[in-house]
Amino acid sequence: MGIDQMVNDAQNVAGTTALFSIVVNLFSIVFVWYILQEIKLDVFFKFPRSPKARMFQVVLAIVIGHGFASFILDYWNWTKYLQYFVE
């Protein structure tokens, strides 16, 4: 196996990992957005269907979804490292 093949393989792994991370982040944000639809915003906002309230939901979904996705991706990486614990 030549150096060009090793570089190509490393680039493929990096690209696949990046794509997986993007998909997990997007699905996590959508999942959190779906859950946030059940929260009564009239406690926090005078007009819960206003653009400000919706923007708050979007930002909150992004922040919480990204945190959730980070946990999932960290957990995924930790499980991959467990193989070295056994060897």
Side-chain angles (χ1 to χ4, degrees):
M1 182 185 317
I3 191 76
D4 291 336
Q5 182 63 35
M6 290 182 356
V7 169
N8 192 26
D9 289 346
Q11 288 175 336
N12 286 340
V13 168
T16 304
T17 302
L19 181 63
F20 180 71
S21 297
I22 290 170
V23 169
V24 168
N25 268 286
L26 289 176
F27 278 127
S28 296
I29 291 169
V30 169
F31 176 70
V32 171
W33 170 261
Y34 178 73
I35 290 173
L36 286 176
Q37 298 305 305
E38 298 298 319
I39 294 177
K40 289 183 146 199
L41 289 180
D42 53 353
V43 174
F44 303 106
F45 293 96
K46 216 181 262 190
F47 303 106
R49 300 279 183 202
S50 70
K52 288 181 183 179
R54 290 296 179 189
M55 186 58 73
F56 175 76
Q57 278 185 313
V58 168
V59 170
L60 196 60
I62 291 170
V63 170
I64 295 172
H66 178 70
F68 181 64
S70 294
F71 171 75
I72 290 173
L73 292 171
D74 284 344
Y75 192 83
W76 179 266
N77 286 327
W78 296 332
T79 57
K80 288 195 302 187
Y81 290 133
L82 282 177
Q83 69 182 353
Y84 302 114
F85 181 69
V86 177
E87 291 180 1

